[in-house]
């Protein structure tokens, strides 16, 4: 007997699993803990009414159901199917060489959790990702099995976000997209160099190629039902003369493929959309392919990319592949490795916050990446937000008159957002807008006052001078910066010697 | 000052508006308030108005025809708000509306329109909060009950939201403050029912009936947070304490 055990070489972790089947509680704890580093937890992008006999609907604005202790929204049941992984990405907690507790959900367990949580209004749907079990195709097949059961047997009509495993076959990714609402492939790192340094099993080609194919297939499905090839964007973009979605944006299917080719030579051989699903029945469900679009995620602070590179990559992804969102994930040191920041390094929360602010400027405010940063200043200012920074560097354009300024210019004033602009333009049709009205409209005058006039007058008599305004804006921003880290601003008594550089010599 | 008062129901409010304008006392001399009135003043004269379906319909018809059905919808929605000045604001909005027509809610130069819009937006946010934070408990197999404690009488606004979300489930949402229940039988239209004390007492016990999925949800809620990013301030501002009363993830475990 003893000899038998020596002969059969069972890996250590499998052996442990064999000894004791884990309970659903244990599995949920392990696999949600393993999934928490994925950022995307949005349930937005598609409106779908409920129907009798089915469970669930979907709301384009997204619904958050709770907020975890880190302040992040929980909208979906975010879990991994398994945290067993064949890959050894250095930044990842579930990498092959790490000795962590492993578990795997059965498709039925995933379905029951989703359905029961959904009925209690805990979640809006399912976010399903996975470690690479055996190989990408096998993993993808298992994921699809769970999704088919959820949509078919359990008649679930809510939101599903599924991760495509890089390297899985086309047919499998097509099937996954037909079953889910959003499909995403994590880019993780924006260049091939960083990727080969930190994720030796991943290749840029395996990420860009499916991304291109997914965007082509989404466009194909949209055109087939009489929609435009590109996804819908925030309504404000319709009013802008120029934005990254405007006239200059590439048309999907023609120029986008060229651009993808330039990014990655050798892509030409592939067609730019999927043609056959893994199972013909998936097409008969009558669902569009990924109606809520695709998204991706990049890790911030594990390698030495500049903010400019990141934001340029983001813009390119939006333009070429029509991605719905690009997420940033501040790197949290979980592994010890020479190529990585040391454990205990603080999470770059402020940097992540600034990148998201810039991302919003691209998607809602008509800004372009190269307006926000330049080769000389490739990083965002810590003390002041990107929009204020842009306005300070273009003081020659300000102040603008609220009652006559264009949509584009109003949106570029710090303190005025898309909603504020809509309110101002609406009010302008009936009356002259004054500062009292702006206050009522909840326009942030503590930022906007330096850049606007109402009926020819500014709110206070102030010099339009770079250093003066910058100091004032830094004061306003300090509150926001403290909020990012979950702290409060510490105020102190001003001191002539330290604050005004006076000395008492002689 | 003449003060017209009525119960906080839409038909009563419409009748009150009818009586107020038919009284011909001058718009500046009258005020409309909702009952219960907390503090009576000695110098004002109070006039209680009971609902009269005919008069209410008359007001409804003239709003829909002379202003627009959309504005009528907005006013009816806003009437759920808890703010005590809401009835008076609806009256003032109507005065502006009858002279300007369907664009009345964009006339922000009028203070009353701006105030009305602010309350409407706040109410929208409150409804959103409860759309997100309602927590159902499975009382029997296939029967779900939730309790909420909103400031406004908004349980009726949750009806269409949850009927679309779970069309083929039996469920019930109970407003503990205003003692109303929204009842949705499987595959049927939902309806609103005022609760008497004995019904309410009985329904209070449903929250103690936790099941394994409540425990699983608590496990998930704990393990999905990243410790290195802890930010209590952010969590509190996004999930205000007053809306947490019935959120199971913040409740102490009380297992039978």
């Amino acid at each position: 007997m003893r000899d038998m055990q020596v002969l059969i070489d069972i890996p250590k972790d499998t052996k442990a699993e064999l000894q004791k089947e884990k309970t659903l509680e244990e599995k949920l704890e392990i696999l949600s803990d393993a999934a928490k580093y994925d950022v995307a937890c949005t349930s937005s992008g598609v409106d779908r009414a409920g129907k009798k006999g089915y469970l669930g609907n979907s709301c384009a604005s997204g619904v958050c159901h709770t907020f975890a202790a880190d302040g992040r929204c929980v909208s979906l049941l975010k879990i991994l199917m398994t945290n067993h992984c064949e890959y050894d990405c250095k930044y990842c907690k579930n990498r092959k060489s790490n000795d962590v507790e492993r578990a795997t959900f059965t498709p039925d367990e995933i379905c029951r959790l989703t359905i029961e949580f959904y009925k209690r209004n805990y979640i809006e749907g399912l976010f399903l990702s996975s470690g690479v079990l055996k190989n990408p195709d096998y993993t993808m097949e298992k994921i699809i099995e769970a999704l088919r059961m959820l949509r078919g047997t359990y008649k679930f009509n809510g939101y599903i976000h599924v991760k495509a495993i890089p390297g899985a076959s086309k047919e499998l990714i097509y099937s996954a997209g037909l079953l889910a609402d959003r499909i995403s492939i994590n880019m993780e790192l924006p260049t091939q160099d960083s990727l080969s340094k930190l994720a030796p099993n991943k290749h840029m080609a395996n990420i860009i190629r499916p991304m291109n194919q997914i965007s082509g297939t989404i466009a194909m499905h949209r055109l087939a039902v009489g929609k435009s090839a590109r996804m819908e964007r925030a309504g404000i973009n319709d009013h802008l003369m120029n934005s990254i979605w405007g006239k200059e944006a590439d048309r999907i299917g023609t120029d986008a493929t060229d651009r993808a080719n330039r990014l990655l030579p050798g892509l030409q051989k592939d067609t730019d959309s999927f043609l056959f699903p893994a199972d013909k029945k998936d097409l008969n469900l009558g669902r569009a392919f990924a109606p809520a679009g695709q998204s991706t995620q990049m890790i911030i602070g594990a390698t030495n990319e500049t903010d400019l590179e990141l934001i340029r990559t983001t813009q390119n992804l939006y333009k070429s592949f029509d991605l719905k969102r690009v997420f940033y994930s501040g790197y949290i040191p979980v592994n010890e490795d020479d190529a990585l920041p040391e454990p205990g390094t603080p999470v770059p929360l402020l940097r992540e916050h600034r990148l998201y602010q810039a991302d919003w400027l691209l998607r809602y405010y008509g800004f372009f990446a190269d307006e926000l940063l330049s080769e000389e200043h490739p990083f965002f200012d810590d003390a002041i937000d990107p929009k204020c920074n842009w306005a300070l560097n273009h003081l020659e354009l300000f102040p603008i008159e609220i009652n006559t300024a264009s949509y584009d210019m109003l949106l570029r004033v710090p303190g005025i957002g898309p909603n504020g602009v809509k309110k101002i333009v609406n009010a302008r049709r009936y009356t002259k807008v004054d500062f009292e009205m702006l206050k009522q409209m909840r326009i942030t005058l503590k930022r906007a006052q330096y850049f606007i006039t109402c009926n020819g007058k500014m709110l206070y008599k102030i010099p339009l001078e770079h250093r003066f305004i910058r100091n004032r804006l830094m004061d306003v921003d300090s509150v926001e910066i403290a909020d990012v880290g979950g702290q409060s601003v510490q105020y102190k008594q001003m001191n002539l010697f330290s604050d005004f550089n006076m000395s008492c010599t002689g | 000052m003449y003060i017209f008062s009525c119960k906080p129901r839409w038909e009563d409010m419409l009748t009150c508006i009818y009586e107020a304008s038919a009284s011909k006392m001058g718009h500046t001399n009258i005020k409309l308030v909702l009952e219960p009135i907390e503090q009576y003043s000695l110098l004002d004269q109070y006039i209680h108005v009971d609902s009269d379906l005919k008069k209410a319909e008359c007001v409804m018809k003239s709003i829909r025809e002379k202003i627009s059905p959309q504005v009528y919808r907005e006013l009816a929605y806003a009437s759920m708000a808890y703010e005590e000045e809401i009835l008076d604001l609806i009256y003032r909005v109507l005065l502006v509306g009858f002279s300007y027509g369907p664009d009345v809610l964009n006339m922000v130069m009028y203070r009353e329109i701006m105030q009305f819009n602010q309350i409407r937006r706040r109410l929208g946010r409150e409804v959103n909060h409860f759309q997100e934070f309602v927590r159902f408990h499975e009382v029997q197999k296939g029967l779900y009950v939730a309790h909420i404690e909103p400031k406004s009488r908004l349980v009726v606004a949750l009806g269409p939201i949850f009927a679309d979300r779970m069309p083929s489930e039996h469920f019930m949402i109970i407003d503990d403050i205003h003692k109303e229940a929204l009842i949705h039988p499987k595959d049927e239209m939902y309806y609103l029912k005022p609760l008497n004390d004995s019904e309410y007492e009985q329904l209070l016990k449903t929250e103690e009936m936790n099941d394994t999925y409540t425990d699983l949800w608590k496990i998930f809620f704990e393990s999905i947070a990243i410790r290195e990013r802890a930010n209590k301030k952010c969590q509190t501002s996004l999930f205000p304490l007053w809306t947490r009363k019935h959120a199971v993830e913040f409740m102490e475990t009380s297992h039978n």
Side-chain angles (χ1 to χ4, degrees), chain B residues 54-245:
Chain B
K54 237 181 193 163
K55 287 174 183 170
E57 258 174 33
C58 181
V59 178
M60 180 189 90
K61 214 171 145 203
S62 58
I63 299 174
R64 291 173 69 99
E65 282 170 11
K66 291 183 190 150
I67 306 180
S68 77
Q70 286 78 18
V71 171
Y72 175 76
R73 231 185 101 92
E74 285 295 295
L75 294 177
Y77 197 90
S79 72
M80 299 186 298
Y82 74 91
E83 281 87 349
E84 53 186 19
E85 66 269 28
I86 187 68
L87 180 57
D88 201 52
L89 275 175
I90 291 177
Y91 183 69
R92 308 286 154 196
V93 170
L94 283 177
L95 292 183
V96 183
F98 284 127
S99 51
Y100 282 105
D103 274 349
V104 52
L105 294 178
N106 288 329
M107 306 280 174
V108 287
M109 59 278 204
Y110 292 98
R111 187 164 281 271
E112 52 269 34
I113 305 281
M114 190 70 99
Q115 280 171 350
F116 175 83
N117 283 343
Q118 270 173 14
I119 291 182
R120 171 66 185 80
R121 270 197 290 276
R122 188 207 58 73
L123 179 66
R125 277 198 298 275
E126 195 183 342
V127 172
N128 264 345
H129 271 320
F130 286 98
Q131 175 183 1
E132 295 169 349
F133 306 143
V134 165
R135 296 284 181 261
F136 287 100
H137 296 258
E138 191 171 28
V139 180
Q140 286 168 24
K141 180 118 186 78
L143 173 61
Y144 299 87
V145 178
H147 286 263
I148 54 172
E149 287 184 40
K151 291 179 184 165
S152 309
R153 309 178 81 93
L154 51 72
V155 72
V156 65
L158 296 175
I161 296 171
F162 284 97
D164 190 52
R165 186 181 155 95
M166 314 198 283
S168 297
E169 303 295 332
H170 298 289
F171 66 84
M172 193 191 273
I173 303 173
I174 296 152
D175 182 341
D176 286 356
I177 303 283
H178 306 99
K179 305 270 189 318
E180 288 175 324
L182 182 110
I183 302 168
H184 177 274
K186 187 175 173 180
D187 291 330
E188 279 174 46
M189 190 64 192
Y190 59 89
Y191 59 94
L192 202 62
K193 186 180 185 305
L195 296 175
N196 60 34
D197 287 345
S198 68
E199 286 170 329
Y200 181 68
E201 286 288 303
Q202 218 173 351
L203 285 167
L204 261 184
K205 291 172 198 145
T206 59
E207 280 204 330
E208 290 156 18
M209 300 177 186
N210 283 349
D211 53 29
T212 45
Y213 288 98
T214 315
D215 300 336
L216 282 167
W217 170 244
K218 285 180 187 170
I219 292 175
F220 176 76
F221 180 73
E222 290 302 320
S223 68
I224 203 71
I226 299 177
R227 218 179 327 117
E228 291 87 341
R229 299 180 63 116
N231 193 340
K232 208 169 169 67
K233 208 175 157 192
C234 179
Q235 187 192 26
T236 317
S237 70
L238 291 168
F239 200 158
L241 295 176
W242 70 272
T243 58
R244 280 186 199 181
K245 284 175 199 152

Side-chain angles (χ1 to χ4, degrees), chain A residues 32 53 65-66 120 430 483, chain B residues 103 135 168 211 223 233 249:
Chain A
S32 58
H65 279 279
T66 189
R120 285 161 179 75
Y430 305 101
D483 278 348
Chain B
D103 274 349
R135 296 284 181 261
S168 297
D211 53 29
S223 68
K233 208 175 157 192
E249 59 268 34

Side-chain angles (χ1 to χ4, degrees), chain A residues 318-335:
Chain A
Y318 284 139
K319 287 176 102 173
S320 319
F321 302 128
D322 201 29
L323 254 60
K324 200 72 182 172
R325 284 291 301 272
V326 173
F327 293 96
Y328 306 107
S329 157
Y331 176 70
I332 296 155
V334 283
N335 297 329

